[in-house]
């Protein structure tokens, strides 16, 4: 990292994204700006899943949205730091320096984001096929026909059953889990190197949550992309993470592999998160994080069962 020069950023070969001392502030009328992200640094390697975990308001979404330069639409400013990304052409770009046009070209193509609520991200008046094809036409210059074929391919990739029929359906005709699959398909349409998922399973019931986590894992193996996954749920962390950054009040207070975070949490806040996980001992005999039961899902499961 010490070799990076401001004029000509470089990254180690296996690193796809490096966030360096990123600071994000929101203007607040007549008062001091609110600093939502307080000079954080992390890297994401090729094919890696990095999870940002932390309590509500700790700055997870602001971090994710700032990587795509989306927080600026909400009145935020990047007041410090760099976001270095390795683009598909091999060049390394500091995303904080890009023009709005430059960042628009990058969104969906180099990096894409999936939000918690697919209903507010999907357009109700366009078919699933048209919405999925849109990014393909925009970024890859394909014809409508070609884009529709690629859209069908990505819907199949995310295991949407009866994908050909779904192309002509509208968002309201799909279940919550299916909508989230479609969002992931749209995010994948241009094969970005990095997919950001901001609490993608929080609004889903427990069975569908588990299916979406499995899907993200499988896709990652199949297409080798990097994932930045955001959650406040330690069960999800255990299920999906390679590495974990723990956020607290705009800072990253601890970074480690999923094994380190669960086996030997160092920061008191991480220790508190881990101690809040029921039946932590059940992971001791397991050799892989995905074998860890989604313990924090249990209250939801009971709720689902009692209300079914
Ligand atoms: N549009 C906004 N205007 C002003 N301040 C904001 C805005 N969005 C976020 N913030 C500030 O940034 C902080 C971090 O918010 P952020 O949405 O990143 O939290 P989070 O970790 O994603 O929480 P959650 O788990 O609830 O989604 C908030 O506490 C708030 O002070
Ligand atoms: Mg959030």
């Amino acid at each position: 990292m010490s070799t990076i020069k401001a004029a000509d950023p470089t990254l180690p070969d296996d690193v796809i994204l490096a966030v360096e001392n990123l600071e994000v502030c929101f203007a607040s009328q007549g008062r001091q700006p609110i600093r939502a992200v307080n000079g954080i640094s992390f890297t994401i390697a090729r094919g890696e899943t990095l999870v940002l975990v932390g309590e509500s308001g700790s700055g997870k979404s602001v971090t994710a949205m700032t990587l795509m330069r989306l927080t600026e639409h909400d009145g935020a400013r990047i007041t410090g730091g760099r976001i270095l990304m390795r683009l598909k052409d091999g060049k390394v770009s500091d995303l904080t320096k890009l023009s709005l046009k430059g960042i628009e070209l990058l969104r969906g193509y180099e990096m894409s984001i999936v939000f918690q609520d697919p209903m507010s991200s999907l357009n109700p008046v366009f078919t699933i096929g048209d919405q999925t094809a849109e990014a393909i036409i925009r970024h890859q210059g394909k014809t409508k026909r070609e884009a529709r074929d690629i859209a069908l391919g990505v819907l199949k990739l995310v295991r949407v059953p009866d994908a050909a029929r779904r192309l002509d359906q509208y968002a309201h005709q799909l279940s919550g889990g299916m909508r989230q699959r479609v969002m992931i398909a749209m995010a994948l349409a241009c094969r970005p190197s990095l997919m950001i998922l901001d609490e993608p399973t929080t609004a889903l019931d427990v069975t569908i949550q588990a299916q979406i986590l499995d899907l993200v894992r499988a896709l990652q193996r199949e297409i080798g992309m990097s994932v930045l996954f955001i959650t406040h749920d330690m069960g999800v962390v255990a299920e999906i993470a390679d590495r974990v950054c723990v956020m607290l009040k705009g800072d990253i207070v601890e970074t480690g592999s999923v094994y380190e975070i669960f086996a030997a949490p160092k920061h008191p806040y991480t220790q508190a998160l881990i101690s809040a996980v029921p039946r932590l001992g059940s992971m001791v005999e397991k050799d892989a994080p995905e074998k860890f039961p989604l313990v924090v899902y249990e209250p939801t499961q009971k709720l689902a069962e009692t209300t079914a």
Side-chain angles (χ1 to χ4, degrees):
M1 284 302 187
S2 56
T3 57
I4 293 175
K5 286 184 239 110
D8 183 20
T10 59
L11 286 173
D13 278 352
D14 63 330
V15 173
I16 211 86
L17 185 93
V19 170
E20 297 176 353
N21 303 314
L22 182 66
E23 201 180 280
V24 184
C25 289
F26 285 92
S28 107
Q29 281 169 347
R31 276 180 278 146
Q32 281 282 88
I34 298 164
R35 199 184 287 170
V37 173
N38 196 17
I40 63 169
S41 301
F42 60 87
T43 60
I44 306 180
R46 227 182 269 281
E48 180 178 54
T49 298
L50 180 76
V51 174
L52 289 184
V53 68
E55 63 187 6
S56 186
S58 57
K60 306 183 296 294
S61 295
V62 170
T63 301
M65 305 256 288
T66 301
L67 297 187
M68 302 271 286
R69 297 269 305 271
L70 290 166
T71 36
E72 285 151 76
H73 299 295
D74 285 336
R77 273 203 321 127
I78 299 173
T79 46
R82 302 198 296 178
I83 302 167
L84 302 183
M85 182 170 194
R86 182 183 307 285
L87 306 181
K88 286 180 187 170
D89 65 7
K91 294 200 182 91
V92 174
S93 174
D94 180 355
L95 308 188
T96 67
K97 300 256 184 332
L98 288 183
S99 64
L100 225 53
K101 186 143 186 70
I103 198 79
E104 272 167 19
L105 288 172
L106 188 142
R107 285 183 195 141
Y109 185 67
E110 303 280 356
M111 183 186 334
S112 57
I113 188 160
V114 175
F115 296 105
Q116 178 176 327
D117 176 13
M119 216 39 198
S120 63
S121 307
L122 286 167
N123 190 323
V125 302
F126 290 107
T127 63
I128 298 305
D130 283 346
Q131 290 182 67
T132 313
E134 195 243 307
I136 301 164
I137 294 167
R138 181 156 37 98
H139 287 297
Q140 301 181 18
K142 303 283 185 192
T143 65
K144 258 190 119 169
R145 177 80 252 164
E146 290 165 336
R148 192 178 158 93
D149 287 343
I150 298 173
L152 179 61
V154 284
L155 287 182
K156 287 181 177 165
L157 187 68
V158 300
R159 287 69 155 162
V160 166
D162 214 357
R165 191 169 58 87
R166 302 286 186 191
L167 282 177
D168 297 315
Q169 289 190 325
Y170 294 87
H172 73 270
Q173 295 173 286
L174 307 181
S175 68
M178 211 48 73
R179 276 183 216 131
Q180 201 53 297
R181 273 175 205 265
V182 168
M183 289 310 299
I184 294 174
M186 288 168 63
L188 282 175
C190 298
R191 301 298 170 107
S193 328
L194 175 67
M195 184 153 80
I196 304 170
L197 298 111
D198 188 351
E199 310 241 16
T201 61
T202 307
L204 302 174
D205 81 52
V206 61
T207 321
I208 309 299
Q209 275 181 343
Q211 287 173 7
I212 297 287
L213 292 180
D214 281 350
L215 173 69
V216 172
R217 269 299 207 198
L219 287 172
Q220 216 178 7
R221 275 195 300 270
E222 283 165 35
I223 56 183
M225 65 182 171
S226 305
V227 169
L228 177 65
F229 198 103
I230 292 174
T231 183
H232 55 258
D233 182 330
M234 291 308 281
V236 174
V237 176
E239 183 78 6
I240 198 109
D242 295 318
R243 259 178 343 112
V244 184
C245 289
V246 181
M247 284 196 80
L248 181 65
K249 297 183 175 33
D251 284 312
I252 290 177
V253 294
E254 184 162 359
T255 301
S257 73
V258 68
Y259 301 100
E260 288 163 348
I261 292 288
F262 274 86
K266 291 191 186 72
H267 192 278
Y269 176 61
T270 318
Q271 290 166 356
L273 279 177
I274 301 295
S275 64
V277 176
R279 293 198 267 115
L280 179 63
S282 59
M283 197 175 171
V284 170
E285 302 298 321
K286 310 288 184 182
D287 57 2
E290 60 266 32
K291 298 275 163 52
F292 189 69
L294 296 178
V295 283
V296 278
Y297 290 162
E298 281 185 351
T300 327
Q301 174 108 61
K302 279 188 196 125
L303 195 67
E305 281 168 8
T306 49
T307 54

